[in-house]
Amino acid sequence: MRNLSMLIDFYELTMANSYYHHHKNEEAVFDLFFRSVPDDGGYAVMAGLEQAIQYIQELKFDEKDIDYLRTKKLFDEGFLTYLLNFKFSCDVSAIKEGTPIFPNEPVMVVRGPIIECQLVETMLLLTINHQSLIATKTSRIVYAAKGRSVLEFGSRRAQGYDAANFGARAAYIAGVIGSANTMTDRDFKIPALGTMAHSFIQSFDNEYDAFLAYAKTYPDSTVLLVDTYSTIHSGLPNAIRVYNDYLKPMGKTLKGIRIDSGDLTYLSKKAREMLDAAGLAETKITVSNSLDEYLITNLVQQGAQIDAFGVGERLITSKSDSVFGGVYKLAALKDNGAMIPKMKLSDNVVKTTNPGVKKLYRLFDQSSNKAIADVVTLDTEVINENEPYLLFDPNFPWKQKLVSDFRAVSLLEPIFKKGKLVYQKPSLEEIRSYHKEQMSTLWDEVKRFENPHPYYVDLSRKLWQLKQDLIEKYAKNS
Amino acid sequence: MRNLSMLIDFYELTMANSYYHHHKNEEAVFDLFFRSVPDDGGYAVMAGLEQAIQYIQELKFDEKDIDYLRTKKLFDEGFLTYLLNFKFSCDVSAIKEGTPIFPNEPVMVVRGPIIECQLVETMLLLTINHQSLIATKTSRIVYAAKGRSVLEFGSRRAQGYDAANFGARAAYIAGVIGSANTMTDRDFKIPALGTMAHSFIQSFDNEYDAFLAYAKTYPDSTVLLVDTYSTIHSGLPNAIRVYNDYLKPMGKTLKGIRIDSGDLTYLSKKAREMLDAAGLAETKITVSNSLDEYLITNLVQQGAQIDAFGVGERLITSKSDSVFGGVYKLAALKDNGAMIPKMKLSDNVVKTTNPGVKKLYRLFDQSSNKAIADVVTLDTEVINENEPYLLFDPNFPWKQKLVSDFRAVSLLEPIFKKGKLVYQKPSLEEIRSYHKEQMSTLWDEVKRFENPHPYYVDLSRKLWQLKQDLIEKYAKNS
């Protein structure tokens, strides 16, 4: 168990200490949400909840932490004792991992004493932001591959060890079939994948000898890297020779080849022809080399003969947009026994937060099973599936749509109640299947890369009115 | 101690097992180098060596690893026993952390039994790639700030926990004055920085009360976030009121303010005026909000009155270019007692590697102390400082330059000899000072962001000739 309690922005501790100093520890509600989808995409994918849960369950401030904090000469001894005895007592609800998520809806809600809410901010954001970033990117790459396999190959370019491990986990949720990172096979049962590097081939006198040696070690799973010298003139002929000389006589086949450079469309088509002509119609062609959803889309459109895409640095760092901008904002605070909605007003209207204690519903059309819209409501509201529901755009309230014949699913699952875990954590395989199933509820128009159709995240009439009232109130006071 | 032995690309294990299977474990030389600088910059910064050393020192395959590997039904029992008894016995040399580094020069060299060289590939690349990425990005940001302070604020958007911790470490090497991440203060003595979030202010009845409460807790280090409602009309007047009402009578001052939104140039100038008029000429102005080297350059050019820049997501993920493309290539292999140079030929000439066992020199001009060029030589060569040296461009060998009056510094330091650490690890403060000093040896033309002058990385005449000979030999054989 790693003690990550000090992985916390220092201001969380100075604020907490000041709250403590002023005997201020009212019940608060914080919403974790994000404002825009990476890569200007139409949807994001929730991930990281399991690690966020683990963090909360293991959170404690040990003597070493307290001794260290004391050296800062900023913290009240009473506060340090409070930390030493810290026990998380908040309610937490969150959207399940693998669910498509959208801007400006709460994906996690923490409710409890404000000091506790504040102390978990950094790690909750860090955990959810990272894995949701990678799950979102991967979901796009898998979508681009149109049913072909995607393999996660990025460890060596990941931003640190956790990025390699938890990044592979997020990628698996979003549909890769395995990872080159052995640790995630051992720890998460994500299938480990991989064959050979160019150095293996170079270490033999010639390519044929290298291929033969590899085939002898792995006759049941021979996958050969064919581009060290020349894919067409050397790699493929040698791979086919090894099949004919060694594998075929043993009743084995050549399982696959990998091409890591050159014109992947041309080379894969040519490789397919050569393999088919050699009686190797079942041999799989894997390609790699700085791939992402855009390049894969092009390869597929050009009719490249590719069975699997090995994707590295552009997935594991989400290179085209390496930040998932989750934020954690105060939504309500208890005052004299009443929960008072709070809102952060901003000159930038999209940065104005949604106040109050809220619920989140996703409406699915009963006949198509497609998601129609998400609706954020006050905590006290219930959406009745048996009555038509009037959706309206919170920014353009005259744009309205009456929907009926829908299922309304409440998305925020209870995770902790008074600090106690009440959530039955699904397995990684369950999360992965659930993600796949949920992706089928989104229209292709929402999933496309260029100018995706904006999915509706609406506010209930009551929440919208509350927000307007608060805006007016703040405007008057400023 | 975390066991990261399974954070390894699966193919390293399958290759190693195949080598073992074929009784093949000759002495090899692998070079770690990169081919291009992120953001099309003129230089990169070496970082991560200390963690790479730690990895090697702690590397072992325990029973749990072996039991897991056995389940894959791919590995020879002899190989698994070899892993269980694994002891790293290679020589490792590397460029010191904090050193400016350039494309196509070895920044780390591993020499020893090929199985061992192969088994450490993934983690060495991962470690050096990540920290060098962040150090490089930070160095640019610090350069843009032209002497103003830069603060690392990115934990919540980092790509995992290690990215927050080791990213802050790399940022500190490259010149930030501290980090919001408390863990790096505790573990690396990187000063923890931070004040308050908007939620702190919102949790009070009004901004003045919030500021006053914070000042009462931290009278000696009151830094106030002034943009929750309106920087000019509310935040600054309230901050000044708290100074006049509370801090000044106590003989204290207002240490700083932070602005996190809006037009930072305009607001900082206005804030400076208001603070100066209130007798607060010493109060520091910090700004934050999606900053990077480009925005900071603009702010500085516009005469913004800023003392410190808080930089978050764009530093900690190197957002504009999130990949450091270090690679690890076979350079030589022993055959019948002789070290045979190896080279990976490529259709893409820049991807052709430099063969053989090599040394790396940096030549400094004696009078200006500026770096003139790096020269990669054969291991057997010595550059004599007392004689003029003929530099030539390896791609355009007729472009030549005779240099004299230079210091020649060998950049690859011995780190491990036969698996034993022989390197005296510098402290983080020493690395940081060394980086600052080394940066002064680069011309501004190399450091600028737009079309930087390409720094020369030349080959010695002998190495160049070896490379030409090998290219010809491979060309004949293919």
Side-chain angles (χ1 to χ4, degrees), chain A residues 6 8 10 14 17-18 21-22 24 65 72 127 129 156 161 180 182-183 185-186 203 213 217-218 317, chain B residues 6 8 10 14 17-18 21-22 24 65 72 127 129 156 161 180 182-183 185-186 203 213 217-218 322:
Chain A
M6 286 296 106
I8 182 171
F10 195 62
T14 56
N17 179 59
S18 187
H21 178 223
H22 293 288
K24 193 171 149 63
D65 296 331
K72 304 309 288 180
T127 304
N129 277 336
R156 64 187 56 195
Y161 316 129
T182 310
M183 194 154 171
D185 183 311
R186 188 192 67 185
S203 79
T217 313
Y218 306 108
T317 72
Chain B
M6 286 296 107
I8 181 171
F10 196 62
T14 56
N17 179 59
S18 187
H21 179 224
H22 294 288
K24 193 172 150 61
D65 297 331
K72 304 309 291 180
T127 304
N129 278 336
R156 63 187 55 194
Y161 316 130
T182 311
M183 196 155 170
D185 182 309
R186 189 192 66 185
S203 78
T217 312
Y218 306 107
S322 62

Side-chain angles (χ1 to χ4, degrees), chain B residues 129-145:
Chain B
N129 278 336
H130 171 233
Q131 289 199 44
S132 297
L133 176 74
I134 303 304
T136 302
K137 181 68 172 178
T138 305
S139 182
R140 294 164 61 85
I141 292 171
V142 168
Y143 182 68

Side-chain angles (χ1 to χ4, degrees), chain A residues 153 156-157 195-207 210-211 214 223-231 235 257-262 264 267 286-289, chain B residues 11-12 15 19 24 30 33 35 114 118 121 327-331 333 342-347 351 353 474:
Chain A
F153 277 1
R156 64 187 56 195
R157 302 279 166 84
T195 58
M196 60 174 63
H198 296 111
S199 57
F200 184 86
I201 291 156
Q202 291 176 276
S203 79
F204 286 82
D205 287 339
N206 58 62
E207 195 177 41
F211 287 177
Y214 202 81
V223 181
L224 302 171
L225 176 63
V226 294
D227 72 334
T228 305
Y229 302 108
S230 161
T231 299
I257 60 150
R258 177 163 74 99
I259 309 171
D260 188 42
S261 59
L264 299 177
L267 293 175
T286 298
V287 302
S288 47
N289 194 13
Chain B
Y11 77 1
E12 316 282 9
M15 286 190 283
Y19 287 138
K24 193 172 150 61
F30 279 80
F33 64 96
R35 295 198 179 100
I114 192 166
Q118 205 74 71
E121 174 178 15
V327 295
Y328 185 83
K329 298 289 176 188
L330 182 67
L333 190 68
K342 294 278 179 174
M343 190 178 73
K344 166 99 176 67
L345 205 59
S346 174
D347 295 341
K351 280 199 161 189
T353 62
Y474 286 156

Side-chain angles (χ1 to χ4, degrees), chain A residues 61-135:
Chain A
F61 300 89
D62 64 20
E63 293 281 0
K64 191 182 157 211
D65 296 331
I66 303 302
D67 289 347
Y68 152 71
L69 289 174
R70 190 174 288 117
T71 67
K72 304 309 288 180
K73 300 195 190 336
L74 284 173
F75 302 106
D76 194 290
E77 274 301 317
F79 175 66
L80 294 179
T81 304
Y82 164 85
L83 286 184
L84 196 59
N85 299 323
F86 180 86
K87 213 174 156 341
F88 185 74
S89 71
C90 297
D91 294 345
V92 177
S93 58
I95 295 179
K96 291 200 284 192
E97 292 192 88
T99 308
I101 52 176
F102 301 93
N104 301 311
E105 61 189 22
V107 304
M108 183 180 266
V109 179
V110 181
R111 177 178 184 150
I114 192 166
I115 292 180
E116 295 183 33
C117 294
Q118 205 75 69
L119 288 174
V120 297
E121 174 177 15
T122 306
M123 276 291 285
L124 293 184
L125 283 172
L126 169 46
T127 304
I128 302 297
N129 277 336
H130 170 232
Q131 289 200 45
S132 298
L133 175 75
I134 304 305

